[in-house]
Amino acid sequence: MALTPAAKASDFSEPWKNADRALVVDAYEYNPIDWGQLATDKRIVGFINKASDGMPPPYSCFGDETEARLCKTLWKRYAVARELFQTRKVVAKALGLKWGAYHLARPGNPIGQANNFIDFAQPGPDDLLALDIEDDDPTQWMSLEDAEEFVRQVHRRIGRFPVLYTNGMTAGHIADNRYQYRLLSRLPLWYARYKPDIGVHFPMGNWQGYALWQFSAKANCGRFRCPYRVAGTPTDIDVNVAPMDAATLRAQWPFGGLIDMQPDYLASIPVPLSREAALAGNVTITYATVATPPSFDEMVSVFSARWVRFRSGFQMPAVMAATRQPRGIAEYVAWARKEMRVASPFEAAPARGDTLSTASTESDRGLR
């Protein structure tokens, strides 16, 4: 399991101002990095770099001159990005930083994208992996259904799970439908929201806290104002805060497991809060322990067993076969009225697979 400390109120309101909170930088290929200056910030614990983007370009270039030129340009960009990725990986680790890679998810072919990600990143056992779903729009980004399959394929390949990077709206949708997205809802959450306080927005119905919070980016960091500036990086660099100190973050990196399943909020009972605590705000609602909701297979099994019992109630019991038919019928009527079977030396078992036996007995055949 991926362990995360219990969320505190301070973790949701400008936690980067707390000097003991660890920071992580994430970048893509067009962010220039001065590694010497970046290393002077001792709060920076990790560096996560963009790896793959959707599927790789085609291996062979076809078509007219324009199409061939575009294909070669894509291949050049892919090769440069991969070389830069590996170079940054070596430098970051040499500086003592934890390393990570993220995949920008595109529509279609989740298995192929997962394989492209693993082949591109070539992750070591201590390298963090992340699936980047920018928004819940399947026309531009990977659908959540495909993302589930992407996560499965990553686990098949390397035996651990990626972190989920997404915004507040998408995270809330996954939390509200956690029984549909059983893997995505249990991945450690890399939360992207550029507000100083996220206490009222964070999807506490599923996640009790974030693994990382991307709080600074081009959207809220400029020349004159920025939540946090990292030495040696441009103003559009992404900066993330962890709800823990540097030593704890190093110990939990690379978050390769699933978070503990939260109780069903609809079936459980909230533990009452005092009026004073509720009015103070920034409180975590806890729920009493309840039985785990039945799975789909369990419900099918129960309904099938009940249907068999219901159907068997309409089947007639086996009729005794006898050499003298009037005697057999009289005995059957007597048994039906008294709700008990009358012992008879002429009783025979019904034919296999038949509920009502009409076959002749051996004694019948002898008389014939």
Side-chain angles (χ1 to χ4, degrees), residues 138-335:
T139 64
Q140 299 186 50
W141 313 107
M142 181 180 287
S143 69
L144 298 181
E145 289 73 18
D146 281 353
E148 288 265 306
E149 192 58 40
F150 179 98
V151 171
R152 291 190 188 93
Q153 181 64 10
V154 169
H155 188 267
R156 295 186 194 108
R157 287 283 303 269
I158 64 174
R160 54 190 174 94
F161 295 97
V163 171
L164 174 64
Y165 170 93
T166 194
N167 58 27
M169 182 177 296
T170 305
H173 178 74
I174 294 172
D176 292 340
N177 298 275
R178 57 189 176 276
Y179 291 118
Q180 179 179 356
Y181 306 116
R182 293 177 176 267
L183 282 178
L184 296 181
S185 62
R186 297 188 65 194
L187 297 179
L189 180 60
W190 180 2
Y191 192 68
R193 195 174 183 94
Y194 312 114
K195 300 291 183 181
D197 193 316
I198 59 171
V200 297
H201 303 288
F202 191 81
M204 294 294 288
N206 186 77
W207 289 280
Q208 296 305 303
Y210 52 83
L212 295 171
W213 170 14
Q214 188 182 88
F215 67 91
S216 181
K218 185 178 180 180
N220 65 338
C221 180
R223 179 181 177 184
F224 300 105
R225 189 175 181 179
C226 189
Y228 190 91
R229 297 191 188 276
V230 178
T233 64
T235 57
D236 64 343
I237 199 74
D238 296 337
V239 189
N240 310 268
V241 64
M244 61 195 83
D245 58 25
T248 306
L249 180 58
R250 290 180 182 276
Q252 294 197 15
W253 200 276
F255 300 102
L258 298 174
I259 64 173
D260 293 330
M261 180 67 76
Q262 302 301 321
D264 183 4
Y265 270 41
L266 296 178
S268 57
I269 302 174
V271 177
L273 291 172
S274 66
R275 176 179 174 83
E276 292 76 12
L279 292 176
N282 287 325
V283 294
T284 300
I285 299 177
T286 57
Y287 286 73
T289 303
V290 294
T292 304
S295 66
F296 178 77
D297 294 336
E298 291 172 339
M299 290 190 290
V300 169
S301 177
V302 171
F303 287 137
S304 298
R306 291 183 177 180
W307 168 250
V308 170
R309 291 197 297 269
F310 174 77
R311 185 181 58 184
S312 64
F314 291 92
Q315 294 177 345
M316 293 180 61
V319 178
M320 295 177 298
T323 54
R324 290 175 295 178
Q325 188 174 1
R327 181 180 177 182
I329 294 176
E331 287 184 353
Y332 175 72
V333 171
W335 171 84

